[in-house]
Amino acid sequence: MTEALGAKPKRILVTGGTGLVGRAIQEVVANGEGRPDEEWVFVSSRDADLTSAVETKALFEKHKPTHVIHLAAMVGGLFKNIRCNLDFWRRNIHINDNVLHSAYECGVQKVVSCLSTCIFPDKTTYPIDETMIHNGPPHSSNFGYSYAKRMIDVQNRGYFEQHGCRFTAVIPTNVFGPHDNFNIEDGHVLPGLIHKVYLAKQNGSALTVWGTGKPRRQFIYSLDLARLFVWVLREYEEVEPIILSVGEEDEVSIREAAEAIVEAMDFRGELVFDTTKADGQFKKTASNAKLRHYLPNFQFTPFRQGEKGAHHCMAVPPFSPSQTLLMASLRSQL
């Protein structure tokens, strides 16, 4: 089958298809981004253990994809990374190697893998861009995950140079949105904060944020990222990765993010910062100049609007009818 002849539709396999980004891609494809010549298959860990080469190959042979979006990974927040760096390294190295090699063996035309800005050197100049990935060691707090993700870029270049494969990767900044992991211990910063605010409201207690609140992050709404993933799959032809992010001017501190969540959830209690907890990397300011070169007019969802949509989708009971309506209203504006 060739794309030019259009003998069969593209069959797009999405690993990690039930996670934050996978669910967002499902939503945008279902709501107008899908095309008649595309068949989308979303799989999760229930379908195959991607740390197993045998199971991964069987998954590819079953679905026979022409294209792959590779999202599956062992992920977690700062404190889980600090505790389990070796686990993050080993599991992700196995997953990535199995997925990319199965894609090669099965003749997949294109793979788009998902990296993270944590792969960039800890000691660097800002803003960081796509040319700086391998310029030094990543932050020590999550070196296992960071190095495993970096190796995808190395493998992509290797598969291209040795076999001519069109394997590439995207580097999103901090993703948030509906269907996130709201676990306080193991989740990322925004869903963890949303969960903490919910509990503080329920218990009538202060809101305690771990760290000083000074680190700065760029947050991208999951539905925006999903639309960009679809664009990369269809249009982006480089092997070199591309940063998918809001602009440098949209960077916010953890304190500002916490204050936005407090406002959105109408929390009236005290906001306390526990400075005995680690901050992690202070900043990871990324340039989206390459993305803007390709898509100068792409419209990102404003942080406070996206954050409201995220907190109304938190899987804790129950939300009022008015909150449910607000969530639907926010979605309709995207």
Side-chain angles (χ1 to χ4, degrees), residues 13 60 66-70 99-104 108-114 152 156 165-170 232-233 238-239:
L13 179 70
F60 274 71
T66 60
H67 296 68
V68 173
I69 292 179
H70 174 38
V99 167
L100 293 179
H101 198 63
S102 291
Y104 160 65
V108 170
Q109 296 170 23
K110 187 172 184 179
V111 178
V112 180
S113 296
C114 189
I152 291 179
N156 286 346
C165 298
R166 286 197 302 156
F167 295 175
T168 190
V170 302
V232 170
L233 184 77
E238 296 185 39
V239 173

Side-chain angles (χ1 to χ4, degrees), residues 61-299:
E61 290 176 343
K62 174 183 177 181
H63 293 291
K64 297 178 173 56
T66 60
H67 296 68
V68 173
I69 292 179
H70 174 38
L71 306 174
M74 177 183 177
V75 298
L78 170 64
F79 297 96
K80 184 175 181 180
N81 271 275
I82 290 172
R83 293 194 308 270
C84 306
N85 265 298
L86 178 61
D87 294 342
F88 278 95
W89 162 260
R90 296 191 70 239
R91 287 186 62 83
N92 286 309
I93 281 290
H94 287 311
I95 289 170
N96 299 335
D97 186 54
N98 290 337
V99 167
L100 293 179
H101 198 63
S102 291
Y104 160 65
E105 288 187 322
C106 293
V108 170
Q109 296 170 23
K110 187 172 184 179
V111 178
V112 180
S113 296
C114 189
L115 309 185
S116 164
T117 50
C118 70
I119 67 176
F120 286 99
D122 179 34
K123 307 298 182 186
T124 188
T125 56
Y126 295 99
I128 49 182
D129 64 38
E130 294 86 352
T131 68
M132 301 163 70
I133 294 172
H134 303 285
N135 287 359
H139 193 270
S140 60
S141 62
N142 56 2
F143 69 87
Y145 179 81
S146 301
Y147 275 122
K149 285 292 188 179
R150 272 192 196 185
M151 291 305 103
I152 291 179
D153 180 53
V154 174
Q155 287 178 284
N156 286 346
R157 284 189 283 159
Y159 277 107
F160 176 72
E161 291 182 7
Q162 194 163 330
H163 301 295
C165 298
R166 286 197 302 156
F167 295 175
T168 190
V170 302
I171 310 172
T173 47
N174 292 63
V175 190
F176 73 102
H179 313 295
D180 209 337
N181 173 13
F182 290 90
N183 185 292
I184 291 174
E185 293 285 339
D186 295 341
H188 289 108
V189 58
L190 283 187
L193 286 172
I194 291 170
H195 194 167
K196 283 188 172 185
V197 172
Y198 174 85
L199 293 176
K201 287 185 70 173
Q202 293 293 105
N203 299 329
S205 58
L207 169 62
T208 301
V209 178
W210 292 343
T212 66
K214 294 178 181 178
R216 304 185 65 79
R217 298 290 184 265
Q218 290 156 291
F219 294 102
I220 181 170
Y221 192 46
S222 58
L223 298 181
D224 293 343
L225 179 60
R227 284 188 280 268
L228 290 170
F229 252 107
V230 173
W231 169 78
V232 170
L233 184 77
R234 294 170 179 162
E235 307 293 341
Y236 182 71
E237 296 298 332
E238 296 185 39
V239 173
E240 299 302 317
I242 183 169
I243 291 171
L244 303 181
S245 175
V246 298
E248 300 161 48
E249 68 279 3
D250 295 314
E251 190 175 53
V252 298
S253 70
I254 301 303
R255 174 182 285 275
E256 290 167 335
E259 290 171 347
I261 292 168
V262 163
E263 178 185 334
M265 297 183 70
D266 195 30
F267 175 69
R268 306 294 178 86
E270 184 182 8
L271 176 59
V272 178
F273 290 88
D274 181 357
T275 57
T276 67
K277 300 290 188 181
D279 270 335
Q281 194 167 359
F282 176 69
K283 65 185 296 184
K284 301 187 285 185
T285 314
S287 168
N288 69 354
K290 185 175 183 178
L291 173 64
R292 284 303 188 195
H293 172 75
Y294 282 104
L295 297 175
N297 299 317
F298 185 86
Q299 296 293 313

Side-chain angles (χ1 to χ4, degrees), residues 301-312:
T301 303
F303 170 69
R304 285 179 180 261
Q305 178 180 319
E307 176 272 321
K308 286 179 181 178
H311 96 253
H312 287 303

